[in-house]
Structures are given as C-alpha cells and as structure tokens.
Amino acid sequence: MTRLVQDLTAPDAARRIADALIERRISVGVLVNNAGFGTCGRFEEIDARREHDQLMVNVVALVDLTHALLPGMLAQGSGAVLNVGSTAGYQPGPYFAAYSAAKTFVLNFSLALHQEYRGRGIRVTAVCPGPVETAFFETLGTRRAAIGSFTTPERVVRAALRALAAGRAYVTPGLGNALSAQLTPRRPRTLVAAIAKRVTRGVLVPDTDHAAPAPERTAA
Ligand SMILES: NC(=O)c1ccc[n+]([C@@H]2O[C@H](COP(=O)([O-])OP(=O)(O)OC[C@H]3O[C@@H](n4cnc5c(N)ncnc54)[C@H](OP(=O)(O)O)[C@@H]3O)[C@@H](O)[C@H]2O)c1
C-alpha cells in the first residue's frame, strides 16, 4: 500500500499529491474527499487562521483534488468521487457559520458534478452524516456541537458505499437525519437560520474537558 502524507491546508497540496501519483504510476479509481475538521463559536472569537485552514481543507483541497484526479478517471472511462459533507450543510449554522457553509458547498458541488458526469462513467456522491464517533469533536473542542444521536464510522461508510454503488447523488445516514434533511429546505431560509441558532448556541457554553490544540503536521 502506498502512503502519501500531505497537509491539505497547503495551497499546492492537490498538485503535490497528483505529481506523486504520476511519479509512482498510480491511477486513481475512487477519490474519497474525507479529510476535514470543524470550527465553532462566536464568529469574531474563532481564530481566523484556523478558519482559513478549515476552508482550505474542507473546500479548496476537495475541489483541487477533484480537478487533479477526475481527468484521469475520464480517460480511463470510469471512476468515482465520494465527498464527505455533513447534516450541518443542510442549513445555515450560527456559531458554525463557515463550517456549515463549507459543508453546504460540498453538497451543492457534489450535486452539480453528479449531474455533469452522469452517463460519462463517473459517479459523484456526497455522504452527509450527523454526529459520528470519531476524533472530530475532540479536535473541535466540544461535544456540545453534536446535534442528534451519534452513529459509528462503520455505519456511515456502509451507507456511503451503498449510495455510491447505487449511483445516488447524496445520502444522509440515519432516519432522523434523513427526514430532517428532506424537511429543512422546505422552510423559509431566514426561519431555518433562526431555528438553527437556538439549536447550536449550546456550543457557546465552555466545555473545557474536550478542548484540544490544533494538530501539528509535516508536509510531505
Ligand atoms: N464526526 C462527525 O460527527 C462528522 C459529522 C459530519 C461530517 N463529518 C466529516 O467527516 C470527515 C472526517 O472527519 P472525522 O469525523 O473522521 O474526524 P477526525 O477523526 O477528526 O478525522 C479527520 C480527518 O481529516 C484529516 N485532516 C484534518 N486536517 C487535515 C489536514 N490539514 N491535512 C490533511 N488531512 C487532514 C485527518 O487526518 P489525520 O488523521 O492525519 O489527522 C483525519 O483523517 C470531515 O470532513 C468531517 O467534516 C464528521
């Protein structure tokens, strides 16, 4: 197995990965854009650098990697892109403003590419989970950000792979999450944002038990 380590906050991260793959003569059949982390709190109190990095990983690297690897899939006549969104992307997220907007981007980007590549041998699917038992909330610094009940990474992966195999544009694992995802867009946007604020303002309460420093990385 080949392992490439790359800090996806770097502007040229996708290019470096693509170059390394070419050098090692590796063609990619399935791109899983999973890397990501969240930011939350009052917008003015969120570290601007951390927010910038969040957007670099969750949005810019995802687009850049897709740009870098999708042409090779087209040349092979088949391939798949699985993007990891979030239920946070189904509505505006007060106190998660940039993270939830990033996940809205992931969903809409995926839905658009799904349409573009239908019938051209490339599947594009977004998986949009609710809370999952991973290191996500430790990195975020609070479990109060978890809206809804937790599921396991295995369940999310199974749902994602089933959706990809079935050629679905997106999937929301968990019945409660899926229902909420279907109902949210049918309400006025400003009302949705106001309701979301009532749900998400819990993150403003300090949760020092789970505060964690940003991880250090070494670029490949
Ligand atoms: N957990 C949830 O409740 C939840 C819910 C909805 C959506 N999601 C999404 O699921 C995805 C995976 O998160 P997770 O739940 O598995 O959290 P996690 O356990 O904290 O894993 C985060 C992943 O992102 C990678 N990553 C973070 N910053 C990176 C950087 N600068 N460069 C390269 N890789 C970086 C990490 O790599 P290392 O292992 O090398 O650190 C790790 O593989 C994210 O996109 C997240 O937004 C999570």
Side-chain angles (χ1 to χ4, degrees), residues 3 5-10 13 33-38 50 53 56-58 62 83-88 99 103 106 127-140 146 150-151 153 156 215-217:
R3 192 173 144 85
V5 178
Q6 179 62 54
D7 181 355
L8 293 176
T9 63
N33 281 311
N34 172 67
F37 62 88
R50 182 81 176 145
D53 286 351
M56 290 301 286
V57 178
N58 289 342
L62 179 143
N83 292 327
V84 181
S86 167
T87 50
Y99 175 71
K103 292 302 184 180
V106 172
V127 56
C128 305
V132 190
E133 284 293 0
T134 65
F136 181 86
F137 293 99
E138 278 65 51
T139 304
L140 186 65
F150 274 86
T151 188
V156 173
E216 283 186 12
R217 294 181 176 278

Side-chain angles (χ1 to χ4, degrees), residues 55-67:
L55 293 169
M56 290 301 286
V57 178
N58 289 342
V59 175
V60 177
L62 179 143
V63 175
D64 286 352
L65 282 166
T66 308
H67 266 304

Side-chain angles (χ1 to χ4, degrees), residues 138 141-144 205-212:
E138 278 65 51
T142 176
R143 282 177 77 88
R144 290 179 194 275
V205 179
D207 186 8
T208 46
D209 286 354
H210 291 92

Side-chain angles (χ1 to χ4, degrees), residues 2-28 31-33 35 61-62 64-66 68-69 219-220:
T2 300
R3 192 173 144 85
L4 285 173
V5 178
Q6 179 62 54
D7 181 355
L8 293 176
T9 63
D12 60 349
R15 189 70 268 147
R16 283 169 179 245
I17 291 170
D19 288 349
L21 291 172
I22 290 168
E23 199 181 296
R24 297 177 198 194
R25 296 171 194 268
I26 295 171
S27 63
V28 174
L31 166 64
V32 180
N33 281 311
L62 179 143
D64 286 352
L65 282 166
T66 308
L69 301 180

